[in-house]
Amino acid sequence: MTVSAPAIHSRICSEPLQPSLLYERSAHPASGAVVLFSGVVRNSNHGRPVDYLEYEAYPELAEKMMRQILSQATERWQLNAALAEHRTGRLEIGEVAVVIVTSCGHREECYEANRYIIDTIKSEVPIWKKEVFLDGSYEWGNHCHC
Amino acid sequence: MKLRITTFAQLKDHFEPNFTLELPEDSTAGDALLSLAKLRPEAEPILEASRIAINEEIVSVETPLEDGQNLFVLPPASGG
C-alpha cells in the first residue's frame, strides 16, 4: 500500500464556492472522518439587519498564510487532507464565504483541526469583511470601531 | 527614502489605496506606521493594530526599511 502525501489546498477566489467539490477532493482511504465547515453570510449582526457583505483580501499573502495554517494543522493532527477556500467580493445573504475541509483517521482530530484552522484564519489571514446594513451604513469586521 | 504604500479595508477610508511615503534613512516598519498616523491622526487606532508585510511576509515593527520597498499595511484581520 503506498502512502500518499497529505492533500493541502488553499485558494482565494471571487467566484461562488463549491463546498461539495472540496469535500470530494478530500477523499482518502485512510480517513474515517471528514469535517466540513462552511461560513455563510447571515442576515443580521448584533440585531442589525444586513444587506450584504464585501470581502477584501491581500490574495497572495492570504493564500500563503492559509496554506501555512493548513500545513501546521496537518502536522499537528496527522490529517490526510486539509482544504480551505475563501471568497472575495460582494456576497449576498446565504452565500458561502469560506469552506474548510479536514479529513483524518478519527473524528476527534478532525473536529479539533477544523476548529483550529477556521479560528486561525479569522485572526491571522489578511482578509477583511465589510458589513453593509439595510440602513445603508457599513462596518468593517472585528468590531474595531476605529 | 521612498516607500510604496498599499492600504486595505478600513485604511482606505483614510488613505489612498496606493501612494508614496517619504521616510528618513534608518526608518523601521514601526516608523512607517507612526508616520502614517501623523498624516491621518483619525486612523491612529487602526494603524496601531495593523501589521506590515514586505515581500509577502509579515514583518516586525523593528524591521529596518530600504528605499524603494513596497509596504502593505494590513488592518486587523476580519475574514472567515
Side-chain angles (χ1 to χ4, degrees):
Chain A
M1 187 179 83
T2 53
V3 178
S4 45
I8 291 176
H9 166 80
S10 162
R11 191 168 83 114
I12 306 285
C13 65
S14 54
E15 304 94 53
L17 302 184
Q18 295 178 284
S20 53
L21 280 187
L22 272 195
Y23 175 86
E24 284 171 29
R25 284 180 66 169
S26 74
H28 193 288
S31 285
V34 182
V35 171
L36 186 152
F37 169 80
S38 172
V40 184
V41 178
R42 205 171 52 234
N43 62 2
S44 74
N45 194 19
H46 288 107
R48 295 174 71 186
V50 170
D51 191 3
Y52 62 91
L53 297 192
E54 274 178 11
Y55 281 97
E56 187 180 324
Y58 174 8
E60 296 87 352
L61 184 55
E63 268 189 14
K64 179 178 163 183
M65 288 177 75
M66 274 190 356
R67 191 172 310 113
Q68 286 169 343
I69 292 164
L70 295 172
S71 294
Q72 284 161 16
T74 295
E75 199 177 309
R76 183 170 163 185
W77 283 283
Q78 299 293 293
L79 306 180
N80 296 318
L83 301 91
E85 289 193 348
H86 200 303
R87 188 173 162 197
T88 55
R90 175 171 169 151
L91 273 72
E92 309 296 335
I93 308 299
E95 292 199 280
V96 176
V98 58
V99 180
I100 315 285
V101 182
T102 46
S103 160
C104 36
H106 304 279
R107 68 184 182 283
E108 190 172 325
E109 311 91 85
C110 236
Y111 275 112
E112 282 181 25
N114 201 294
R115 184 65 196 251
Y116 166 83
I117 291 165
I118 183 60
D119 285 354
T120 311
I121 286 174
K122 283 171 82 73
S123 68
E124 298 300 315
V125 175
I127 302 172
W128 302 278
K129 171 176 72 176
K130 178 176 170 182
E131 279 176 308
V132 183
F133 300 100
L134 280 181
D135 64 9
S137 63
Y138 69 84
E139 208 169 82
W140 287 98
N142 230 26
H143 308 297
C144 177
H145 294 287
C146 43
Chain B
M1 58 174 123
K2 286 195 169 114
L3 292 314
R4 192 84 193 131
I5 308 292
T6 299
T7 59
F8 294 91
Q10 60 265 54
L11 283 175
K12 292 193 292 191
D13 290 344
H14 306 281
F15 298 95
E16 292 295 315
N18 295 285
F19 59 96
T20 300
L21 183 71
E22 284 218 41
L23 288 177
E25 296 299 314
D26 300 328
S27 291
T28 62
D31 293 330
L33 289 172
L34 290 172
S35 181
L36 291 172
K38 281 208 191 91
L39 280 174
R40 298 282 184 277
E42 72 277 12
E44 205 252 335
I46 319 171
L47 288 164
E48 214 175 351
S50 293
R51 296 171 292 175
I52 289 197
I54 301 174
N55 294 327
E56 291 177 17
E57 295 275 348
I58 298 204
V59 300
S60 69
V61 291
E62 299 93 19
T63 303
L65 301 176
E66 292 164 21
D67 183 42
Q69 277 179 321
N70 293 308
L71 265 56
F72 293 77
V73 190
L74 315 178
S78 58

